[in-house]
Amino acid sequence: MASITIERVAKSFGEVRALAEVDLTVADGEFLALLGPSGCGKTTLLRIVAGLESQTTGRVLIGARDVSALPPRKRGLAMVFQNYAVFPHLTVYENVAFGLRMARADKARIAAQVEKAAALLHIEALLRRHPAQLSGGQRQRVAVARALAVEPAVLLMDEPLSNLDALLRLEMRAELKAVLSEAGTTTIYVTHDQTEAMGLADRIAVMQAGRIEQIGSPSEIYDRPATRFVGGFVGSPPMNFLELPVQDGKVDLGGLALAAPPGAGARVLLGLRGEDIALARPAEAGFAFTLKVAELLGPQVLLTGVAAGGQPLRIVLPAAGPLPPLTAGGDILLKPDPARLRWMNEAGKALEGSP
Amino acid sequence: MSEARPPSSNRALLWAGVAVLCAWTLLPIYLLALGALGGREIVSQWPKPFAPLGLSLQTLGTFLAIEGVWRATWVSVKAAALTMAMALALGVPAGYALARFRFRGAGAYRVLILMTRAFPVAILALPLTVSFIRLGVYDTPLGVALVHAVLATPFATLVCASLFMGIPKELEEAAWVFGCSRFTGFLRVVLPLALPGIAAASIFAFVLSWNEVFAASVLTVRQRTLTAYLLSVLSESPLHLQFAGGLVLIVPSVLFIFLVRRRLFAMWGIGNR
Amino acid sequence: MREPKALPYLLIAPSALFLTGLFLIPLAQTAVLAFQESGGAWGLGNLRRMTDELNFPDALANTFKVVLLAVPLQLVLALGMTMALRNIRRGRDLLVWVWSIPLGISDLAAGLVWLAILNDQGWLNSALFRLGLIAQPQAWLTYETPAALLAAIVIAEIWRATAIVFVILLAGVQLLPKEYEEAADVFGATPWQRFFRITVPLLKPSIQTALILRTVLAFEMFAMAMALGGRNFPVLVSEAFNAQYFSQDYGVAAAYAVLVMTISVAATVLYLVALRVPAEQR
């Protein structure tokens, strides 16, 4: 077991800067998700930790050891690849045993470790087969077993579930969480799927354009996004952002006056989760929302429309609760949960003092 | 991508090896060119120069005046062009059939095509001599091209099949929906997309014929292709003439390889499937 | 689209007929010619006359020597070139072109190239002379120097035909997902282990294709031997050529052809079996 320290790591491909100077520490035994859209640099960062890519500047430490100049095989880590990279010419057993063989472990230990990893991933029955005879989900299990069999100090996972279909992905996600929490390995997990990151990780680092936008626990990331980007990327539907004028210490939200946050300029951004908005009761103060489309999504209803001078807004209401008439063009009076307003400046940075 | 930096000594070794391999490939061609363009004198010169100082317009003139070589070159060009035409005419439709239809006999046809690879096809020119004399194509560029097309057609067929397979069927179906027939759809949608690959395949057919020695030698007497001509004069003609012929043989091949360099892999990679 | 069932057959018919007429029938004719005596009776007379030929043992031995020496060296060299190229980004296209150039060069032209270098007053001797290693032109390509002559032909064959192995292997490498080698790397394999345990096994189909093509072509080689060795280096195909062309003994020529084809097919089958990749390992 070991921590991972990334110090001012930058990476350029010729003129293109893939990573600005990134600092990141993953504690011993921690599960950290690198979350971001494609091209944000998350995979590059992971590959730099693995040693598959060399950083332009900065260094990587595993435990106290500087591994920046070491090739992957000397870094003492294991990895699960996006396309699994389960060797097609080897049996499942030989695949799972591969890392141990390379480390010249003795036969008995290899057998024991393979058995253990296979049991953990429920692939005991597949050990004699070749990868071509396995389904995608089974190959995925083999890839994870291969990584766990070496009992690595550090486990790296590069979008390991992205090639599975939706149902299988859900199933594997739960299973991964159970297996990895049992193993207690320090893990970096790259994904572009925010539900995956939220469900699995102890902490999430949200990346964009080669930089880390925010690091925090899933609930911090969800409830208190540090930037407009994070709020917009995490959550489904994403957080709403309304650009509002500030006057005399008050912010006008489509007719509803809210106390301006400390540090507000002439205009502020109000971040609001769709589920933090409710119907205003009769005679209660609220802001006007013009409904365009209503979609029933199982337990919830998603309403898409405009508010505060034509700005788009999406709200989520429980399908079981009281619902307004769902006709397009109808006006609805809404009120936000005052404890869950997320204030940001015009540049999209959270204002201090905002919850 | 670059793995955590290999030591610079390895890097130097790598580049040294690369340089040696380049020299190994290019130097012999350069020396042949010296011999070919250096005129009659260079053959007897000792020790031979490594710099192209002896070259002059006069020696170049000698090179261009070697009549036998140029006459044979013209025959070679005709035979190669005919080979190319036949390989395309036969290979494009067959490749399309293999790529787009599942039909009984497709397997047998594939076996026939692959068989041509396991056999030294050119040797089959031996029994063909008699029938070619009877058909009146013996000692003509057409006769040579017929045998060369046996070599080139399977190749063109496989290349075309893989090219057409690489073009989504949906594109063609879209063309049909918008009013094309199978044939016009092929002409307007598939062919333009496959054209670069087909061009490369035809260049290969050309080079295949251009380079073939055995069948060309067996099937010609007076209308010799360049290869057949050079083979027949090997033991009698002066060396500089042989070198000149060699250079004329090589130069187009080098240019052709340059033209199709980006497609080499697509063409030879097909052997794996 | 509804179409006549005959369409695919119409499309392959021309080439099927063509290959039947100019490949299958001549193939059968060759066999018939080889096994038919002058009187029309079946027999092994032609084969016997072939094996009784003065040059036959030499031709057979020479052919195998060239193939057995050149083909493995070509495979090793081509693997080396392929691996070197993976570590190079700048100038890669140029290198691929330069290394593929011999692909377009016939065995006759290659023979002439090396004749220019290796003849008595050629560039090899000139270089050796300038280096002070020899005092006067030294003959390499005569019957008195069989080892040098064999070496010359093997070298010329390697020079000419490594390119095709290289291109096939490179095509194969480019189809290999990089992740396999990265995974090997991450799981502790040294570069050599990675090469022998991962890359080479995964390249097996390409290696097989390259070896089949290369070996069949190497057995067909004859113009290079004639250019470099003249009559001093008979190979099977040059004997077939001489029988047909100079002796006009079509029976013996056909017998040689049958022998070469048998060897080629045997080599192909050998490779297909030895380098078989079971379906489940693809």
Side-chain angles (χ1 to χ4, degrees):
Chain A
M1 304 293 126
S3 61
I4 304 168
T5 312
I6 295 165
E7 283 181 7
R8 296 191 313 283
V9 163
K11 174 74 181 176
S12 304
F13 295 103
E15 294 290 293
V16 185
R17 198 184 60 174
L19 285 177
E21 297 199 335
V22 170
D23 282 290
L24 181 65
T25 306
V26 188
D28 191 358
E30 185 180 27
F31 190 124
L32 179 107
L34 286 177
L35 174 66
S38 61
C40 72
K42 57 191 192 298
T43 294
T44 304
L45 185 58
L46 187 81
R47 290 170 60 86
I48 286 172
V49 174
L52 294 168
E53 203 93 55
S54 57
Q55 65 277 27
T56 310
T57 59
R59 47 182 213 147
V60 177
L61 286 82
I62 294 179
R65 191 163 67 120
D66 184 348
V67 298
S68 306
L70 295 180
R73 66 178 181 280
K74 295 189 178 154
R75 295 192 178 197
L77 42 81
M79 184 160 169
V80 178
F81 289 78
Q82 181 170 10
N83 300 311
Y84 320 137
V86 175
F87 305 124
H89 62 297
L90 303 181
T91 62
V92 169
Y93 183 95
E94 289 165 329
N95 264 289
V96 177
F98 188 84
L100 295 157
R101 289 220 169 123
M102 292 300 112
R104 297 182 190 284
D106 61 71
K107 275 217 158 79
R109 185 171 126 77
I110 292 177
Q113 289 290 97
V114 170
E115 198 181 320
K116 201 168 113 189
L120 210 54
L121 275 302
H122 311 297
I123 52 169
E124 300 102 315
L126 309 176
L127 287 173
R128 299 275 150 242
R129 296 208 200 159
H130 278 92
Q133 299 162 300
L134 306 181
S135 67
Q138 289 171 328
R139 273 181 238 184
Q140 170 63 47
R141 287 164 193 272
V142 175
V144 176
R146 178 175 65 181
L148 293 179
V150 296
E151 297 189 336
V154 164
L155 176 61
L156 307 176
M157 306 181 102
D158 184 7
E159 309 241 14
L161 302 183
S162 64
N163 283 341
L164 300 178
D165 63 54
L167 207 62
L168 200 56
R169 188 154 39 192
L170 209 64
E171 190 185 310
M172 273 307 288
R173 196 167 81 200
E175 206 165 312
L176 259 187
K177 184 159 188 167
V179 167
L180 291 177
S181 69
E182 188 175 329
T185 311
T186 311
T187 304
I188 302 184
Y189 185 102
V190 163
T191 179
H192 65 271
D193 180 341
Q194 43 108 9
T195 53
E196 231 170 83
M198 301 285 282
L200 286 169
D202 299 325
R203 278 198 307 157
I204 299 175
V206 182
M207 292 188 67
Q208 194 222 351
R211 280 176 302 107
I212 293 180
E213 291 267 320
Q214 186 177 4
I215 306 178
S217 69
S219 63
E220 273 170 355
I221 298 278
Y222 187 81
D223 295 335
R224 299 156 46 79
T227 66
R228 179 175 187 162
F229 173 81
V230 174
F233 192 77
V234 176
S236 175
M239 188 176 246
N240 296 293
F241 286 97
L242 300 168
E243 200 178 327
L244 305 170
V246 182
Q247 231 166 14
D248 307 330
K250 294 272 179 206
V251 176
D252 176 31
L253 169 58
L256 181 70
L258 300 168
R267 300 182 76 81
V268 289
L269 272 182
L270 173 58
L272 271 175
R273 289 274 173 208
E275 66 270 23
D276 294 336
I277 303 172
L279 297 174
R281 270 184 225 105
E284 214 175 14
F287 66 95
F289 170 78
T290 309
L291 178 67
K292 287 197 163 158
V293 181
E295 297 160 80
L296 178 66
L297 308 173
Q300 296 169 325
V301 184
L302 174 65
L303 305 183
T304 305
V306 291
Q311 300 188 64
L313 186 72
R314 270 181 287 216
I315 65 171
V316 179
L317 298 173
L323 287 174
L326 299 178
T327 43
D331 279 338
I332 303 167
L333 208 60
L334 300 173
K335 58 164 193 200
D337 180 345
R340 297 187 54 90
L341 306 176
R342 188 66 178 155
W343 295 104
M344 294 185 186
N345 65 19
E346 274 178 281
K349 284 242 183 310
L351 292 170
E352 293 305 317
S354 184
Chain B
M1 294 296 109
S2 64
E3 158 188 327
R5 17 192 126 89
S8 57
S9 63
N10 280 358
R11 232 32 228 171
L13 205 67
L14 175 71
W15 279 105
V18 165
V20 168
L21 282 168
C22 286
W24 157 253
T25 309
L26 295 176
L27 193 62
I29 298 178
Y30 167 73
L31 295 176
L32 177 76
L34 279 189
L37 302 173
R40 278 188 195 88
E41 301 73 36
I42 201 162
V43 173
S44 51
Q45 205 172 332
W46 172 262
K48 290 219 181 341
F50 280 83
L53 297 176
L55 299 194
S56 66
L57 282 177
Q58 194 230 323
T59 60
L60 205 67
T62 320
F63 172 65
L64 292 172
I66 306 168
E67 200 203 332
V69 168
W70 296 113
R71 212 178 42 226
T73 303
W74 177 231
V75 179
S76 270
V77 169
K78 283 193 277 191
L82 284 169
T83 304
M84 193 170 98
M86 282 191 268
L88 284 188
L90 298 169
V92 171
Y96 186 80
L98 285 182
R100 285 288 190 263
F101 296 97
R102 316 189 78 190
F103 56 99
R104 285 165 71 91
Y109 180 71
R110 263 181 196 279
V111 169
L112 174 64
I113 283 195
L114 292 174
M115 254 172 78
T116 61
R117 276 201 184 181
F119 285 99
V121 171
I123 293 184
L124 298 179
L126 294 178
L128 282 172
T129 313
V130 181
S131 12
F132 274 22
I133 292 173
R134 214 176 304 141
L135 292 170
V137 291
Y138 181 74
D139 201 18
T140 63
L142 177 63
V144 174
L146 281 170
V147 176
H148 289 173
V150 177
L151 285 164
T153 301
F155 184 75
T157 305
L158 290 178
V159 170
C160 289
S162 85
L163 283 171
F164 295 147
M165 267 188 261
I167 296 170
K169 198 168 195 280
E170 288 77 16
L171 289 181
E172 238 178 307
E173 288 170 343
W176 301 340
V177 168
F178 291 108
C180 282
S181 68
R182 170 77 77 168
F183 182 65
T184 54
F186 175 79
L187 281 189
R188 284 165 183 273
V189 176
V190 180
L191 203 56
L193 289 170
L195 211 53
I198 292 178
S202 17
I203 287 177
F204 260 102
F206 190 97
V207 173
L208 216 75
S209 163
W210 176 261
N211 278 335
E212 202 283 322
V213 189
F214 189 90
S217 298
V218 171
L219 293 174
T220 58
V221 180
R222 279 187 309 272
Q223 292 226 55
R224 290 203 178 283
T225 67
L226 184 54
T227 50
Y229 169 76
L230 287 172
L231 190 76
S232 69
V233 301
L234 266 184
S235 50
E236 54 224 47
S237 61
L239 277 177
H240 80 275
L241 197 149
Q242 297 187 25
F243 298 159
L247 188 63
V248 176
L249 260 183
I250 286 178
V251 168
S253 309
V254 172
L255 291 178
F256 288 149
I257 296 294
F258 181 72
L259 287 178
V260 300
R261 67 194 182 285
R262 291 188 195 290
R263 303 223 148 237
L264 284 176
F265 306 106
M267 317 205 71
W268 291 108
I270 57 165
N272 298 334
R273 269 163 248 154
Chain C
M1 206 184 251
R2 280 191 65 82
E3 274 168 340
K5 280 227 166 71
L7 184 57
Y9 297 103
L10 288 174
L11 290 172
I12 63 161
S15 72
L17 286 176
F18 181 80
L19 292 178
T20 306
L22 286 152
F23 174 62
L24 290 181
I25 292 177
L27 197 64
Q29 283 176 327
T30 308
V32 169
L33 262 175
F35 294 107
Q36 211 164 36
E37 313 275 331
S38 43
W42 298 97
L44 301 175
N46 291 322
L47 289 181
R48 212 168 300 121
R49 277 193 296 136
M50 169 182 78
T51 52
D52 286 345
E53 277 203 346
L54 193 61
N55 275 336
F56 177 79
D58 280 349
L60 190 64
N62 284 340
T63 306
F64 272 93
K65 278 183 203 162
V66 170
V67 172
L68 292 178
L69 285 172
V71 172
L73 286 172
Q74 284 169 338
L75 182 63
V76 172
L77 190 59
L79 272 174
M81 289 156 81
T82 311
M83 292 302 129
L85 207 60
R86 311 183 80 195
N87 292 311
I88 289 170
R89 247 170 297 168
R90 206 179 313 156
R92 194 174 181 280
D93 281 358
L94 184 70
L95 278 183
V96 170
W97 175 53
V98 168
W99 289 353
S100 320
I101 282 176
L103 197 62
I105 295 178
S106 63
D107 69 329
L108 176 60
L112 293 171
V113 165
W114 286 89
L115 182 63
I117 296 171
L118 298 173
N119 74 71
D120 295 2
Q121 299 184 6
W123 272 274
L124 176 68
N125 279 336
S126 301
L128 293 175
F129 178 76
R130 273 163 213 260
L131 293 170
L133 295 173
I134 56 171
Q136 66 221 26
Q138 160 86 36
W140 302 107
L141 304 174
T142 67
Y143 67 95
E144 287 159 331
T145 56
L149 180 55
L150 175 64
I153 286 169
V154 169
I155 286 173
E157 181 70 0
I158 291 173
W159 178 76
R160 172 180 83 100
T162 302
I164 185 161
V165 184
F166 162 67
V167 168
I168 293 174
L169 292 185
L170 194 57
V173 163
Q174 286 174 338
L175 292 177
L176 280 190
K178 257 191 128 71
E179 283 193 339
Y180 291 131
E181 291 179 315
E182 289 180 349
D185 208 355
V186 164
F187 286 100
T190 63
W192 283 111
Q193 285 174 321
R194 193 173 66 199
F195 178 70
F196 285 111
R197 285 171 182 254
I198 305 298
T199 314
V200 169
L202 291 178
L203 268 182
K204 229 157 80 175
S206 301
I207 292 175
Q208 187 187 56
T209 307
L211 283 177
I212 290 175
L213 215 58
R214 190 66 276 290
T215 308
V216 171
L217 289 176
F219 278 119
E220 269 187 277
M221 183 276 294
F222 84 110
M224 179 159 48
M226 283 172 93
L228 286 173
R231 293 237 157 186
N232 296 329
F233 200 88
V235 291
L236 290 175
V237 177
S238 66
E239 288 310 296
F241 182 73
N242 289 336
Q244 171 95 1
Y245 215 74
F246 297 111
S247 333
Q248 313 251 315
D249 192 338
Y250 298 149
V252 169
Y256 271 111
V258 167
L259 180 62
V260 171
M261 285 190 276
T262 310
I263 296 172
S264 297
V265 171
T268 304
V269 171
L270 182 75
Y271 287 132
L272 286 176
V273 173
L275 295 173
R276 194 175 61 94
V277 181
E280 74 268 16
Q281 289 183 30
R282 269 171 214 164

